[in-house]
């Protein structure tokens, strides 16, 4: 009787374990375009910024970690990335990039403060959506940047962010309250490790 109970328990465990690891039938990965905008940077890369309001004010942002992560659900595997950034003066932030069905991607630039809203970038099959503006080129106080996407948020740490393909953040605003612009940083140099 004891071996019958042990056999039933073993079968029940194996059956329930099998249900926890469903067969993957679809895998979603990030498009090359999303990789070029958000992921293809080496850990240790530094971006140096100058404030366009106070030209004697600088900030440097360091990419400290870049990790792949997988999300499994409903027989689907989503392969995304999470990058953590450490500025000298601005607020630390994290970027999480997630792929979805039909070549969609969702990006969250999060200042890691509970009450602050994140900046969102969405791309649906090559088209930027949900408040994202694409520019062939933009000029920030005499410097021109190409293939730039821009998104805004109500948080005061990174309120308005412009990202250039294969270059990273090229400009961002920092405020101290509604309508009070503290800094508007623009990229002046990238230092690769």
């Amino acid at each position: 009787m004891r071996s019958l109970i042990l056999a039933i328990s073993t079968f029940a465990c194996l059956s329930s374990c099998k249900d926890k690891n469903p067969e993957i039938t679809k895998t979603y990965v990030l498009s090359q375009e999303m990789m070029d905008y958000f992921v293809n940077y080496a850990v240790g890369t530094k971006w140096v910024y100058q404030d366009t309001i106070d030209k004697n004010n600088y900030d440097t942002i360091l990419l400290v970690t870049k990790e792949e992560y997988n999300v499994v659900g409903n027989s689907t595997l989503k392969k995304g990335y999470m990058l953590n950034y450490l500025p000298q003066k601005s607020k630390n932030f994290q970027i999480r990039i997630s792929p979805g069905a039909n070549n969609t991607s969702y990006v969250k630039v999060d200042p890691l403060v509970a009450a602050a809203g994140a900046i969102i970038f969405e791309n649906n099959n090559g088209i930027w959506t949900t408040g994202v503006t694409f520019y062939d080129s933009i000029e920030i106080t005499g410097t021109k940047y190409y293939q730039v996407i821009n998104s805004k948020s109500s948080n005061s740490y990174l309120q308005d962010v412009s990202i250039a393909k294969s270059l990273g953040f090229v400009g961002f605003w920092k405020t101290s309250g509604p309508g009070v612009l503290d800094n508007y940083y623009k990229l002046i140099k990238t230092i690769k490790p």
Side-chain angles (χ1 to χ4, degrees):
M1 185 65 157
R2 185 175 228 187
S3 39
L4 177 62
I5 292 172
L6 183 59
I8 291 170
S9 298
T10 304
F11 177 75
C13 179
L14 290 174
S15 295
S16 67
C17 292
K18 184 178 178 182
D19 292 342
K20 291 180 183 175
N21 295 316
E23 180 182 342
I24 303 298
T25 58
K26 294 178 190 167
T27 301
Y28 298 130
V29 296
L30 296 169
S31 68
Q32 186 60 49
E33 180 174 35
M34 295 306 285
M35 296 292 288
D36 289 343
Y37 273 103
F38 297 101
V39 180
N40 289 339
Y41 307 107
V43 171
T45 300
K46 294 179 184 177
W47 291 264
V48 181
Y49 298 88
Q50 182 179 34
D51 189 351
T52 61
I53 297 169
D54 175 3
K55 300 221 186 277
N56 294 318
N57 185 17
Y58 295 88
D59 197 356
T60 299
I61 296 177
L62 171 67
L63 174 58
V64 290
T65 63
K66 176 170 68 173
E67 300 171 7
E68 291 183 55
Y69 70 90
N70 296 326
V71 176
V72 178
N74 299 328
S75 303
T76 302
L77 171 63
K78 296 179 181 181
K79 297 180 151 220
Y81 284 87
M82 184 168 44
L83 293 83
N84 288 292
Y85 291 86
L86 180 63
Q88 277 184 329
K89 295 183 180 177
S90 307
K91 176 74 180 91
N92 298 358
F93 62 95
Q94 178 181 85
I95 298 181
R96 190 174 182 96
I97 309 104
S98 304
N102 302 320
N103 198 28
T104 61
S105 295
Y106 180 80
V107 179
K108 181 179 177 183
V109 181
D110 190 349
L112 304 171
V113 176
I119 294 180
I120 305 300
F121 291 88
E122 280 189 55
N123 189 292
N124 187 350
N125 204 23
I127 299 171
W128 295 102
T129 61
T130 315
V132 178
T133 305
F134 174 81
Y135 299 98
D136 285 327
S137 66
I138 62 168
E139 186 174 322
I140 303 174
T141 61
T143 305
K144 208 165 199 175
Y145 306 97
Y146 298 92
Q147 294 183 307
V148 175
I149 52 176
N150 176 271
S151 188
K152 297 169 177 36
S153 170
S154 60
N155 81 63
S156 59
Y157 301 102
L158 292 169
Q159 193 168 55
D160 183 292
V161 171
S162 295
I163 299 174
K165 190 174 192 176
S166 301
L167 195 54
F169 281 62
V170 294
F172 61 95
W173 296 0
K174 181 178 171 298
T175 64
S176 60
V180 182
L181 183 61
D182 282 344
N183 310 101
Y184 184 177
Y185 289 106
K186 77 169 190 178
L187 180 67
I188 58 170
K189 180 170 50 171
T190 303
I191 304 167
K192 296 183 180 180

